Amino acid sequence: MSKIVAVIGASGDRNKFGNRAVRAFRQQGYTVIPINPREKEIEGLTAYASVLDVPGPIDMASLYVPPDVGEQVIAEIARKGIPEVWLNPGAESDGLIARARDLQIQPIVACSIVAIGENPYRL
């Protein structure tokens, strides 16, 4: 069974990392759920405003939003029961890392696209 990943800050713009992540995770066989309150569909997938709107469990979240936005959504990630969150370059902050740990979420500060074996600049 493939892992279910929520890409928070997913984008319809193919040049943005929030879009490249959607494509990279799909290429690696993940079930991808785009999260963006301003989009209805990204890369042919239904986009949700929040992880709380997604039916069923989510295994991990990958953040492509500024730290202040991340600090707003981290509580929703905790409420949804998502055990690990990837804080991609530009999404991390000391406050967000501490908050994730306080909420019993494992923060991983790294580029999730590179971590799954894709080159973000070739997507």
Side-chain angles (χ1 to χ4, degrees):
M1 194 182 91
S2 74
K3 265 192 155 184
I4 300 165
V5 59
V7 177
I8 298 173
S11 172
D13 180 343
R14 297 197 93 188
N15 293 314
K16 293 197 168 177
F17 283 94
N19 179 284
R20 293 173 192 217
V22 170
R23 290 183 281 134
F25 278 109
R26 280 177 92 181
Q27 276 175 226
Q28 291 292 328
Y30 287 76
T31 298
V32 181
I33 301 168
I35 307 293
N36 184 324
R38 290 179 297 284
E39 304 261 4
K40 292 280 169 254
E41 188 180 282
I42 294 170
E43 294 294 317
L45 301 168
T46 300
Y48 294 88
S50 161
V51 292
L52 297 176
D53 298 329
V54 177
I58 299 171
D59 298 309
M60 57 190 269
S62 188
L63 266 61
Y64 288 90
V65 292
D68 60 317
V69 176
E71 291 193 33
Q72 292 167 32
V73 300
I74 196 76
E76 294 178 359
I77 291 168
R79 267 208 307 282
K80 184 71 178 169
I82 301 170
E84 89 184 28
V85 63
W86 287 76
L87 304 174
N88 292 282
E92 80 284 1
S93 73
D94 292 344
L96 184 52
I97 292 165
R99 185 92 179 96
R101 288 190 175 125
D102 288 346
L103 293 167
Q104 309 300 305
I105 299 166
Q106 181 185 351
I108 300 161
V109 181
C111 176
S112 62
I113 297 172
V114 172
I116 61 168
E118 293 287 337
N119 180 337
Y121 299 101
R122 292 215 182 103
L123 291 163

PDB file of all heavy atoms in Angstrom, residues 20-61:
ATOM      1  N   ARG A  20       5.842  20.929  -8.104  1.00  0.00           N
ATOM      2  CA  ARG A  20       6.870  19.915  -8.384  1.00  0.00           C
ATOM      3  C   ARG A  20       6.783  18.765  -7.379  1.00  0.00           C
ATOM      4  O   ARG A  20       6.998  17.608  -7.730  1.00  0.00           O
ATOM      5  CB  ARG A  20       8.259  20.543  -8.360  1.00  0.00           C
ATOM      6  CG  ARG A  20       8.474  21.513  -9.494  1.00  0.00           C
ATOM      7  CD  ARG A  20       9.780  22.263  -9.363  1.00  0.00           C
ATOM      8  NE  ARG A  20       9.802  23.372 -10.303  1.00  0.00           N
ATOM      9  CZ  ARG A  20      10.876  23.776 -10.949  1.00  0.00           C
ATOM     10  NH1 ARG A  20      12.033  23.173 -10.747  1.00  0.00           N
ATOM     11  NH2 ARG A  20      10.821  24.782 -11.775  1.00  0.00           N
ATOM     12  N   ALA A  21       6.453  19.094  -6.125  1.00  0.00           N
ATOM     13  CA  ALA A  21       6.320  18.054  -5.093  1.00  0.00           C
ATOM     14  C   ALA A  21       5.166  17.112  -5.415  1.00  0.00           C
ATOM     15  O   ALA A  21       5.288  15.896  -5.270  1.00  0.00           O
ATOM     16  CB  ALA A  21       6.112  18.687  -3.723  1.00  0.00           C
ATOM     17  N   VAL A  22       4.036  17.668  -5.866  1.00  0.00           N
ATOM     18  CA  VAL A  22       2.879  16.834  -6.238  1.00  0.00           C
ATOM     19  C   VAL A  22       3.308  15.834  -7.311  1.00  0.00           C
ATOM     20  O   VAL A  22       3.055  14.629  -7.194  1.00  0.00           O
ATOM     21  CB  VAL A  22       1.700  17.708  -6.730  1.00  0.00           C
ATOM     22  CG1 VAL A  22       0.602  16.844  -7.349  1.00  0.00           C
ATOM     23  CG2 VAL A  22       1.134  18.553  -5.585  1.00  0.00           C
ATOM     24  N   ARG A  23       4.002  16.321  -8.335  1.00  0.00           N
ATOM     25  CA  ARG A  23       4.429  15.444  -9.429  1.00  0.00           C
ATOM     26  C   ARG A  23       5.494  14.443  -8.980  1.00  0.00           C
ATOM     27  O   ARG A  23       5.446  13.275  -9.362  1.00  0.00           O
ATOM     28  CB  ARG A  23       4.919  16.286 -10.604  1.00  0.00           C
ATOM     29  CG  ARG A  23       3.750  17.022 -11.271  1.00  0.00           C
ATOM     30  CD  ARG A  23       4.172  17.811 -12.503  1.00  0.00           C
ATOM     31  NE  ARG A  23       4.806  19.072 -12.137  1.00  0.00           N
ATOM     32  CZ  ARG A  23       5.937  19.538 -12.663  1.00  0.00           C
ATOM     33  NH1 ARG A  23       6.567  18.870 -13.598  1.00  0.00           N
ATOM     34  NH2 ARG A  23       6.427  20.694 -12.275  1.00  0.00           N
ATOM     35  N   ALA A  24       6.449  14.891  -8.142  1.00  0.00           N
ATOM     36  CA  ALA A  24       7.520  13.994  -7.677  1.00  0.00           C
ATOM     37  C   ALA A  24       6.960  12.839  -6.846  1.00  0.00           C
ATOM     38  O   ALA A  24       7.313  11.680  -7.069  1.00  0.00           O
ATOM     39  CB  ALA A  24       8.530  14.791  -6.849  1.00  0.00           C
ATOM     40  N   PHE A  25       6.087  13.156  -5.888  1.00  0.00           N
ATOM     41  CA  PHE A  25       5.511  12.099  -5.050  1.00  0.00           C
ATOM     42  C   PHE A  25       4.690  11.118  -5.890  1.00  0.00           C
ATOM     43  O   PHE A  25       4.746   9.913  -5.676  1.00  0.00           O
ATOM     44  CB  PHE A  25       4.657  12.688  -3.920  1.00  0.00           C
ATOM     45  CG  PHE A  25       5.446  13.148  -2.728  1.00  0.00           C
ATOM     46  CD1 PHE A  25       5.594  14.503  -2.447  1.00  0.00           C
ATOM     47  CD2 PHE A  25       6.040  12.239  -1.862  1.00  0.00           C
ATOM     48  CE1 PHE A  25       6.323  14.930  -1.337  1.00  0.00           C
ATOM     49  CE2 PHE A  25       6.761  12.647  -0.755  1.00  0.00           C
ATOM     50  CZ  PHE A  25       6.908  13.997  -0.498  1.00  0.00           C
ATOM     51  N   ARG A  26       3.947  11.630  -6.878  1.00  0.00           N
ATOM     52  CA  ARG A  26       3.168  10.727  -7.748  1.00  0.00           C
ATOM     53  C   ARG A  26       4.085   9.809  -8.530  1.00  0.00           C
ATOM     54  O   ARG A  26       3.818   8.613  -8.655  1.00  0.00           O
ATOM     55  CB  ARG A  26       2.297  11.530  -8.713  1.00  0.00           C
ATOM     56  CG  ARG A  26       1.028  12.027  -8.051  1.00  0.00           C
ATOM     57  CD  ARG A  26       0.234  12.873  -8.990  1.00  0.00           C
ATOM     58  NE  ARG A  26      -0.730  12.072  -9.730  1.00  0.00           N
ATOM     59  CZ  ARG A  26      -1.554  12.580 -10.643  1.00  0.00           C
ATOM     60  NH1 ARG A  26      -1.506  13.853 -10.939  1.00  0.00           N
ATOM     61  NH2 ARG A  26      -2.409  11.808 -11.259  1.00  0.00           N
ATOM     62  N   GLN A  27       5.186  10.354  -9.069  1.00  0.00           N
ATOM     63  CA  GLN A  27       6.140   9.543  -9.834  1.00  0.00           C
ATOM     64  C   GLN A  27       6.733   8.432  -8.977  1.00  0.00           C
ATOM     65  O   GLN A  27       7.071   7.366  -9.488  1.00  0.00           O
ATOM     66  CB  GLN A  27       7.272  10.428 -10.380  1.00  0.00           C
ATOM     67  CG  GLN A  27       6.919  11.105 -11.682  1.00  0.00           C
ATOM     68  CD  GLN A  27       7.989  12.079 -12.157  1.00  0.00           C
ATOM     69  OE1 GLN A  27       7.660  13.160 -12.551  1.00  0.00           O
ATOM     70  NE2 GLN A  27       9.249  11.699 -12.105  1.00  0.00           N
ATOM     71  N   GLN A  28       6.829   8.668  -7.680  1.00  0.00           N
ATOM     72  CA  GLN A  28       7.396   7.676  -6.766  1.00  0.00           C
ATOM     73  C   GLN A  28       6.319   6.736  -6.194  1.00  0.00           C
ATOM     74  O   GLN A  28       6.609   5.932  -5.320  1.00  0.00           O
ATOM     75  CB  GLN A  28       8.143   8.377  -5.628  1.00  0.00           C
ATOM     76  CG  GLN A  28       9.415   9.073  -6.087  1.00  0.00           C
ATOM     77  CD  GLN A  28      10.491   8.094  -6.532  1.00  0.00           C
ATOM     78  OE1 GLN A  28      10.609   6.998  -6.027  1.00  0.00           O
ATOM     79  NE2 GLN A  28      11.287   8.496  -7.525  1.00  0.00           N
ATOM     80  N   GLY A  29       5.083   6.872  -6.662  1.00  0.00           N
ATOM     81  CA  GLY A  29       4.039   5.935  -6.268  1.00  0.00           C
ATOM     82  C   GLY A  29       3.239   6.303  -5.032  1.00  0.00           C
ATOM     83  O   GLY A  29       2.444   5.500  -4.539  1.00  0.00           O
ATOM     84  N   TYR A  30       3.434   7.503  -4.521  1.00  0.00           N
ATOM     85  CA  TYR A  30       2.655   7.950  -3.362  1.00  0.00           C
ATOM     86  C   TYR A  30       1.240   8.333  -3.794  1.00  0.00           C
ATOM     87  O   TYR A  30       1.012   8.703  -4.942  1.00  0.00           O
ATOM     88  CB  TYR A  30       3.291   9.197  -2.724  1.00  0.00           C
ATOM     89  CG  TYR A  30       4.559   8.951  -1.960  1.00  0.00           C
ATOM     90  CD1 TYR A  30       5.769   8.738  -2.619  1.00  0.00           C
ATOM     91  CD2 TYR A  30       4.563   8.962  -0.575  1.00  0.00           C
ATOM     92  CE1 TYR A  30       6.948   8.530  -1.915  1.00  0.00           C
ATOM     93  CE2 TYR A  30       5.738   8.760   0.139  1.00  0.00           C
ATOM     94  CZ  TYR A  30       6.926   8.541  -0.534  1.00  0.00           C
ATOM     95  OH  TYR A  30       8.075   8.343   0.168  1.00  0.00           O
ATOM     96  N   THR A  31       0.310   8.260  -2.847  1.00  0.00           N
ATOM     97  CA  THR A  31      -1.012   8.828  -3.042  1.00  0.00           C
ATOM     98  C   THR A  31      -0.895  10.282  -2.573  1.00  0.00           C
ATOM     99  O   THR A  31      -0.525  10.533  -1.424  1.00  0.00           O
ATOM    100  CB  THR A  31      -2.065   8.085  -2.201  1.00  0.00           C
ATOM    101  OG1 THR A  31      -2.104   6.718  -2.643  1.00  0.00           O
ATOM    102  CG2 THR A  31      -3.437   8.712  -2.351  1.00  0.00           C
ATOM    103  N   VAL A  32      -1.145  11.231  -3.474  1.00  0.00           N
ATOM    104  CA  VAL A  32      -0.916  12.643  -3.182  1.00  0.00           C
ATOM    105  C   VAL A  32      -2.229  13.394  -2.993  1.00  0.00           C
ATOM    106  O   VAL A  32      -3.151  13.249  -3.793  1.00  0.00           O
ATOM    107  CB  VAL A  32      -0.103  13.306  -4.324  1.00  0.00           C
ATOM    108  CG1 VAL A  32       0.165  14.776  -4.012  1.00  0.00           C
ATOM    109  CG2 VAL A  32       1.202  12.563  -4.556  1.00  0.00           C
ATOM    110  N   ILE A  33      -2.275  14.176  -1.922  1.00  0.00           N
ATOM    111  CA  ILE A  33      -3.439  15.026  -1.656  1.00  0.00           C
ATOM    112  C   ILE A  33      -2.962  16.476  -1.611  1.00  0.00           C
ATOM    113  O   ILE A  33      -2.272  16.870  -0.677  1.00  0.00           O
ATOM    114  CB  ILE A  33      -4.119  14.633  -0.330  1.00  0.00           C
ATOM    115  CG1 ILE A  33      -4.564  13.178  -0.389  1.00  0.00           C
ATOM    116  CG2 ILE A  33      -5.303  15.564  -0.041  1.00  0.00           C
ATOM    117  CD1 ILE A  33      -4.979  12.595   0.922  1.00  0.00           C
ATOM    118  N   PRO A  34      -3.298  17.258  -2.656  1.00  0.00           N
ATOM    119  CA  PRO A  34      -2.909  18.663  -2.649  1.00  0.00           C
ATOM    120  C   PRO A  34      -3.767  19.466  -1.663  1.00  0.00           C
ATOM    121  O   PRO A  34      -4.985  19.277  -1.603  1.00  0.00           O
ATOM    122  CB  PRO A  34      -3.177  19.138  -4.081  1.00  0.00           C
ATOM    123  CG  PRO A  34      -3.560  17.928  -4.871  1.00  0.00           C
ATOM    124  CD  PRO A  34      -3.982  16.883  -3.893  1.00  0.00           C
ATOM    125  N   ILE A  35      -3.112  20.336  -0.883  1.00  0.00           N
ATOM    126  CA  ILE A  35      -3.813  21.204   0.060  1.00  0.00           C
ATOM    127  C   ILE A  35      -3.549  22.656  -0.341  1.00  0.00           C
ATOM    128  O   ILE A  35      -2.403  23.111  -0.321  1.00  0.00           O
ATOM    129  CB  ILE A  35      -3.344  20.970   1.523  1.00  0.00           C
ATOM    130  CG1 ILE A  35      -3.437  19.497   1.926  1.00  0.00           C
ATOM    131  CG2 ILE A  35      -4.108  21.884   2.487  1.00  0.00           C
ATOM    132  CD1 ILE A  35      -4.826  18.916   2.021  1.00  0.00           C
ATOM    133  N   ASN A  36      -4.607  23.349  -0.744  1.00  0.00           N
ATOM    134  CA  ASN A  36      -4.520  24.763  -1.098  1.00  0.00           C
ATOM    135  C   ASN A  36      -5.939  25.328  -1.093  1.00  0.00           C
ATOM    136  O   ASN A  36      -6.768  24.899  -1.885  1.00  0.00           O
ATOM    137  CB  ASN A  36      -3.885  24.943  -2.487  1.00  0.00           C
ATOM    138  CG  ASN A  36      -3.697  26.408  -2.850  1.00  0.00           C
ATOM    139  OD1 ASN A  36      -4.506  27.259  -2.514  1.00  0.00           O
ATOM    140  ND2 ASN A  36      -2.617  26.697  -3.557  1.00  0.00           N
ATOM    141  N   PRO A  37      -6.219  26.289  -0.194  1.00  0.00           N
ATOM    142  CA  PRO A  37      -7.592  26.815  -0.092  1.00  0.00           C
ATOM    143  C   PRO A  37      -8.058  27.580  -1.332  1.00  0.00           C
ATOM    144  O   PRO A  37      -9.249  27.808  -1.499  1.00  0.00           O
ATOM    145  CB  PRO A  37      -7.535  27.738   1.131  1.00  0.00           C
ATOM    146  CG  PRO A  37      -6.092  27.998   1.387  1.00  0.00           C
ATOM    147  CD  PRO A  37      -5.306  26.872   0.779  1.00  0.00           C
ATOM    148  N   ARG A  38      -7.130  27.952  -2.223  1.00  0.00           N
ATOM    149  CA  ARG A  38      -7.525  28.721  -3.398  1.00  0.00           C
ATOM    150  C   ARG A  38      -7.631  27.904  -4.680  1.00  0.00           C
ATOM    151  O   ARG A  38      -7.955  28.440  -5.732  1.00  0.00           O
ATOM    152  CB  ARG A  38      -6.551  29.892  -3.609  1.00  0.00           C
ATOM    153  CG  ARG A  38      -6.695  30.958  -2.531  1.00  0.00           C
ATOM    154  CD  ARG A  38      -5.736  32.116  -2.696  1.00  0.00           C
ATOM    155  NE  ARG A  38      -4.330  31.739  -2.597  1.00  0.00           N
ATOM    156  CZ  ARG A  38      -3.698  31.462  -1.445  1.00  0.00           C
ATOM    157  NH1 ARG A  38      -4.345  31.519  -0.308  1.00  0.00           N
ATOM    158  NH2 ARG A  38      -2.428  31.132  -1.451  1.00  0.00           N
ATOM    159  N   GLU A  39      -7.350  26.609  -4.602  1.00  0.00           N
ATOM    160  CA  GLU A  39      -7.393  25.770  -5.810  1.00  0.00           C
ATOM    161  C   GLU A  39      -8.413  24.650  -5.627  1.00  0.00           C
ATOM    162  O   GLU A  39      -8.578  24.136  -4.536  1.00  0.00           O
ATOM    163  CB  GLU A  39      -6.010  25.140  -6.074  1.00  0.00           C
ATOM    164  CG  GLU A  39      -4.878  26.128  -6.187  1.00  0.00           C
ATOM    165  CD  GLU A  39      -4.492  26.462  -7.622  1.00  0.00           C
ATOM    166  OE1 GLU A  39      -5.152  25.973  -8.550  1.00  0.00           O
ATOM    167  OE2 GLU A  39      -3.533  27.230  -7.786  1.00  0.00           O
ATOM    168  N   LYS A  40      -9.069  24.285  -6.717  1.00  0.00           N
ATOM    169  CA  LYS A  40     -10.037  23.179  -6.681  1.00  0.00           C
ATOM    170  C   LYS A  40      -9.388  21.881  -7.154  1.00  0.00           C
ATOM    171  O   LYS A  40      -9.782  20.793  -6.756  1.00  0.00           O
ATOM    172  CB  LYS A  40     -11.250  23.484  -7.570  1.00  0.00           C
ATOM    173  CG  LYS A  40     -12.106  24.620  -7.028  1.00  0.00           C
ATOM    174  CD  LYS A  40     -13.012  24.117  -5.920  1.00  0.00           C
ATOM    175  CE  LYS A  40     -13.701  25.228  -5.170  1.00  0.00           C
ATOM    176  NZ  LYS A  40     -13.159  25.472  -3.840  1.00  0.00           N
ATOM    177  N   GLU A  41      -8.407  22.022  -8.051  1.00  0.00           N
ATOM    178  CA  GLU A  41      -7.763  20.852  -8.639  1.00  0.00           C
ATOM    179  C   GLU A  41      -6.325  21.209  -9.003  1.00  0.00           C
ATOM    180  O   GLU A  41      -6.061  22.308  -9.485  1.00  0.00           O
ATOM    181  CB  GLU A  41      -8.534  20.442  -9.900  1.00  0.00           C
ATOM    182  CG  GLU A  41      -8.083  19.136 -10.496  1.00  0.00           C
ATOM    183  CD  GLU A  41      -8.889  18.772 -11.740  1.00  0.00           C
ATOM    184  OE1 GLU A  41     -10.025  18.303 -11.592  1.00  0.00           O
ATOM    185  OE2 GLU A  41      -8.364  18.982 -12.849  1.00  0.00           O
ATOM    186  N   ILE A  42      -5.397  20.283  -8.741  1.00  0.00           N
ATOM    187  CA  ILE A  42      -3.983  20.480  -9.083  1.00  0.00           C
ATOM    188  C   ILE A  42      -3.468  19.193  -9.718  1.00  0.00           C
ATOM    189  O   ILE A  42      -3.597  18.121  -9.130  1.00  0.00           O
ATOM    190  CB  ILE A  42      -3.156  20.854  -7.825  1.00  0.00           C
ATOM    191  CG1 ILE A  42      -3.610  22.225  -7.303  1.00  0.00           C
ATOM    192  CG2 ILE A  42      -1.659  20.851  -8.138  1.00  0.00           C
ATOM    193  CD1 ILE A  42      -3.063  22.601  -5.957  1.00  0.00           C
ATOM    194  N   GLU A  43      -2.929  19.325 -10.928  1.00  0.00           N
ATOM    195  CA  GLU A  43      -2.401  18.162 -11.671  1.00  0.00           C
ATOM    196  C   GLU A  43      -3.449  17.039 -11.759  1.00  0.00           C
ATOM    197  O   GLU A  43      -3.118  15.862 -11.641  1.00  0.00           O
ATOM    198  CB  GLU A  43      -1.105  17.640 -11.028  1.00  0.00           C
ATOM    199  CG  GLU A  43       0.063  18.608 -11.101  1.00  0.00           C
ATOM    200  CD  GLU A  43       0.559  18.884 -12.524  1.00  0.00           C
ATOM    201  OE1 GLU A  43       0.674  17.936 -13.329  1.00  0.00           O
ATOM    202  OE2 GLU A  43       0.818  20.059 -12.831  1.00  0.00           O
ATOM    203  N   GLY A  44      -4.719  17.413 -11.926  1.00  0.00           N
ATOM    204  CA  GLY A  44      -5.781  16.424 -12.074  1.00  0.00           C
ATOM    205  C   GLY A  44      -6.275  15.824 -10.770  1.00  0.00           C
ATOM    206  O   GLY A  44      -7.149  14.961 -10.765  1.00  0.00           O
ATOM    207  N   LEU A  45      -5.722  16.277  -9.641  1.00  0.00           N
ATOM    208  CA  LEU A  45      -6.131  15.765  -8.329  1.00  0.00           C
ATOM    209  C   LEU A  45      -7.018  16.783  -7.623  1.00  0.00           C
ATOM    210  O   LEU A  45      -6.788  17.982  -7.742  1.00  0.00           O
ATOM    211  CB  LEU A  45      -4.895  15.509  -7.450  1.00  0.00           C
ATOM    212  CG  LEU A  45      -3.866  14.516  -7.993  1.00  0.00           C
ATOM    213  CD1 LEU A  45      -2.594  14.582  -7.172  1.00  0.00           C
ATOM    214  CD2 LEU A  45      -4.438  13.110  -7.980  1.00  0.00           C
ATOM    215  N   THR A  46      -8.000  16.296  -6.874  1.00  0.00           N
ATOM    216  CA  THR A  46      -8.840  17.190  -6.086  1.00  0.00           C
ATOM    217  C   THR A  46      -8.002  17.856  -5.008  1.00  0.00           C
ATOM    218  O   THR A  46      -7.274  17.184  -4.281  1.00  0.00           O
ATOM    219  CB  THR A  46      -9.993  16.398  -5.422  1.00  0.00           C
ATOM    220  OG1 THR A  46     -10.762  15.792  -6.455  1.00  0.00           O
ATOM    221  CG2 THR A  46     -10.886  17.305  -4.582  1.00  0.00           C
ATOM    222  N   ALA A  47      -8.095  19.174  -4.943  1.00  0.00           N
ATOM    223  CA  ALA A  47      -7.372  19.926  -3.909  1.00  0.00           C
ATOM    224  C   ALA A  47      -8.335  20.248  -2.767  1.00  0.00           C
ATOM    225  O   ALA A  47      -9.514  20.505  -2.993  1.00  0.00           O
ATOM    226  CB  ALA A  47      -6.797  21.208  -4.495  1.00  0.00           C
ATOM    227  N   TYR A  48      -7.822  20.197  -1.552  1.00  0.00           N
ATOM    228  CA  TYR A  48      -8.618  20.487  -0.357  1.00  0.00           C
ATOM    229  C   TYR A  48      -8.098  21.760   0.304  1.00  0.00           C
ATOM    230  O   TYR A  48      -6.904  22.065   0.221  1.00  0.00           O
ATOM    231  CB  TYR A  48      -8.522  19.326   0.644  1.00  0.00           C
ATOM    232  CG  TYR A  48      -9.153  18.051   0.138  1.00  0.00           C
ATOM    233  CD1 TYR A  48      -8.419  17.146  -0.621  1.00  0.00           C
ATOM    234  CD2 TYR A  48     -10.482  17.748   0.417  1.00  0.00           C
ATOM    235  CE1 TYR A  48      -8.990  15.971  -1.094  1.00  0.00           C
ATOM    236  CE2 TYR A  48     -11.061  16.571  -0.047  1.00  0.00           C
ATOM    237  CZ  TYR A  48     -10.306  15.697  -0.804  1.00  0.00           C
ATOM    238  OH  TYR A  48     -10.883  14.538  -1.265  1.00  0.00           O
ATOM    239  N   ALA A  49      -8.994  22.464   0.998  1.00  0.00           N
ATOM    240  CA  ALA A  49      -8.606  23.699   1.692  1.00  0.00           C
ATOM    241  C   ALA A  49      -7.756  23.395   2.919  1.00  0.00           C
ATOM    242  O   ALA A  49      -6.885  24.180   3.288  1.00  0.00           O
ATOM    243  CB  ALA A  49      -9.848  24.494   2.084  1.00  0.00           C
ATOM    244  N   SER A  50      -8.007  22.253   3.562  1.00  0.00           N
ATOM    245  CA  SER A  50      -7.321  21.898   4.802  1.00  0.00           C
ATOM    246  C   SER A  50      -7.188  20.383   4.895  1.00  0.00           C
ATOM    247  O   SER A  50      -8.010  19.652   4.325  1.00  0.00           O
ATOM    248  CB  SER A  50      -8.144  22.401   5.996  1.00  0.00           C
ATOM    249  OG  SER A  50      -7.776  21.744   7.193  1.00  0.00           O
ATOM    250  N   VAL A  51      -6.178  19.914   5.649  1.00  0.00           N
ATOM    251  CA  VAL A  51      -6.062  18.466   5.875  1.00  0.00           C
ATOM    252  C   VAL A  51      -7.292  17.936   6.600  1.00  0.00           C
ATOM    253  O   VAL A  51      -7.647  16.773   6.456  1.00  0.00           O
ATOM    254  CB  VAL A  51      -4.782  18.082   6.656  1.00  0.00           C
ATOM    255  CG1 VAL A  51      -3.535  18.345   5.821  1.00  0.00           C
ATOM    256  CG2 VAL A  51      -4.702  18.756   8.002  1.00  0.00           C
ATOM    257  N   LEU A  52      -7.979  18.807   7.346  1.00  0.00           N
ATOM    258  CA  LEU A  52      -9.176  18.376   8.080  1.00  0.00           C
ATOM    259  C   LEU A  52     -10.343  18.072   7.145  1.00  0.00           C
ATOM    260  O   LEU A  52     -11.290  17.397   7.530  1.00  0.00           O
ATOM    261  CB  LEU A  52      -9.583  19.436   9.111  1.00  0.00           C
ATOM    262  CG  LEU A  52      -8.543  19.700  10.212  1.00  0.00           C
ATOM    263  CD1 LEU A  52      -8.998  20.835  11.108  1.00  0.00           C
ATOM    264  CD2 LEU A  52      -8.261  18.446  11.020  1.00  0.00           C
ATOM    265  N   ASP A  53     -10.277  18.557   5.897  1.00  0.00           N
ATOM    266  CA  ASP A  53     -11.336  18.294   4.912  1.00  0.00           C
ATOM    267  C   ASP A  53     -11.128  16.976   4.172  1.00  0.00           C
ATOM    268  O   ASP A  53     -11.994  16.530   3.432  1.00  0.00           O
ATOM    269  CB  ASP A  53     -11.388  19.425   3.873  1.00  0.00           C
ATOM    270  CG  ASP A  53     -11.728  20.770   4.489  1.00  0.00           C
ATOM    271  OD1 ASP A  53     -12.459  20.789   5.497  1.00  0.00           O
ATOM    272  OD2 ASP A  53     -11.256  21.803   3.971  1.00  0.00           O
ATOM    273  N   VAL A  54      -9.977  16.366   4.357  1.00  0.00           N
ATOM    274  CA  VAL A  54      -9.627  15.140   3.624  1.00  0.00           C
ATOM    275  C   VAL A  54     -10.237  13.925   4.312  1.00  0.00           C
ATOM    276  O   VAL A  54     -10.028  13.717   5.501  1.00  0.00           O
ATOM    277  CB  VAL A  54      -8.083  14.981   3.558  1.00  0.00           C
ATOM    278  CG1 VAL A  54      -7.706  13.678   2.858  1.00  0.00           C
ATOM    279  CG2 VAL A  54      -7.445  16.181   2.863  1.00  0.00           C
ATOM    280  N   PRO A  55     -11.029  13.118   3.549  1.00  0.00           N
ATOM    281  CA  PRO A  55     -11.560  11.890   4.151  1.00  0.00           C
ATOM    282  C   PRO A  55     -10.440  10.859   4.302  1.00  0.00           C
ATOM    283  O   PRO A  55      -9.590  10.748   3.424  1.00  0.00           O
ATOM    284  CB  PRO A  55     -12.610  11.422   3.131  1.00  0.00           C
ATOM    285  CG  PRO A  55     -12.224  12.056   1.835  1.00  0.00           C
ATOM    286  CD  PRO A  55     -11.443  13.306   2.161  1.00  0.00           C
ATOM    287  N   GLY A  56     -10.412  10.170   5.417  1.00  0.00           N
ATOM    288  CA  GLY A  56      -9.424   9.108   5.611  1.00  0.00           C
ATOM    289  C   GLY A  56      -8.107   9.624   6.162  1.00  0.00           C
ATOM    290  O   GLY A  56      -7.885  10.824   6.292  1.00  0.00           O
ATOM    291  N   PRO A  57      -7.207   8.680   6.484  1.00  0.00           N
ATOM    292  CA  PRO A  57      -5.938   9.020   7.123  1.00  0.00           C
ATOM    293  C   PRO A  57      -4.916   9.599   6.142  1.00  0.00           C
ATOM    294  O   PRO A  57      -5.008   9.390   4.933  1.00  0.00           O
ATOM    295  CB  PRO A  57      -5.457   7.683   7.679  1.00  0.00           C
ATOM    296  CG  PRO A  57      -6.047   6.661   6.756  1.00  0.00           C
ATOM    297  CD  PRO A  57      -7.364   7.234   6.284  1.00  0.00           C
ATOM    298  N   ILE A  58      -3.933  10.300   6.695  1.00  0.00           N
ATOM    299  CA  ILE A  58      -2.804  10.835   5.928  1.00  0.00           C
ATOM    300  C   ILE A  58      -1.538  10.412   6.681  1.00  0.00           C
ATOM    301  O   ILE A  58      -1.456  10.574   7.895  1.00  0.00           O
ATOM    302  CB  ILE A  58      -2.882  12.372   5.813  1.00  0.00           C
ATOM    303  CG1 ILE A  58      -4.168  12.800   5.072  1.00  0.00           C
ATOM    304  CG2 ILE A  58      -1.648  12.927   5.098  1.00  0.00           C
ATOM    305  CD1 ILE A  58      -4.439  14.291   5.105  1.00  0.00           C
ATOM    306  N   ASP A  59      -0.559   9.868   5.955  1.00  0.00           N
ATOM    307  CA  ASP A  59       0.662   9.359   6.588  1.00  0.00           C
ATOM    308  C   ASP A  59       1.695  10.442   6.883  1.00  0.00           C
ATOM    309  O   ASP A  59       2.442  10.347   7.847  1.00  0.00           O
ATOM    310  CB  ASP A  59       1.323   8.296   5.694  1.00  0.00           C
ATOM    311  CG  ASP A  59       0.408   7.097   5.493  1.00  0.00           C
ATOM    312  OD1 ASP A  59      -0.095   6.572   6.507  1.00  0.00           O
ATOM    313  OD2 ASP A  59       0.186   6.697   4.336  1.00  0.00           O
ATOM    314  N   MET A  60       1.775  11.444   6.006  1.00  0.00           N
ATOM    315  CA  MET A  60       2.768  12.498   6.195  1.00  0.00           C
ATOM    316  C   MET A  60       2.324  13.765   5.488  1.00  0.00           C
ATOM    317  O   MET A  60       1.499  13.711   4.578  1.00  0.00           O
ATOM    318  CB  MET A  60       4.138  12.052   5.668  1.00  0.00           C
ATOM    319  CG  MET A  60       4.128  11.655   4.213  1.00  0.00           C
ATOM    320  SD  MET A  60       5.654  10.852   3.666  1.00  0.00           S
ATOM    321  CE  MET A  60       6.574  12.253   3.107  1.00  0.00           C
ATOM    322  N   ALA A  61       2.869  14.892   5.945  1.00  0.00           N
ATOM    323  CA  ALA A  61       2.586  16.178   5.307  1.00  0.00           C
ATOM    324  C   ALA A  61       3.911  16.789   4.875  1.00  0.00           C
ATOM    325  O   ALA A  61       4.923  16.647   5.555  1.00  0.00           O
ATOM    326  CB  ALA A  61       1.872  17.106   6.272  1.00  0.00           C
TER     327      ALA A  61
END
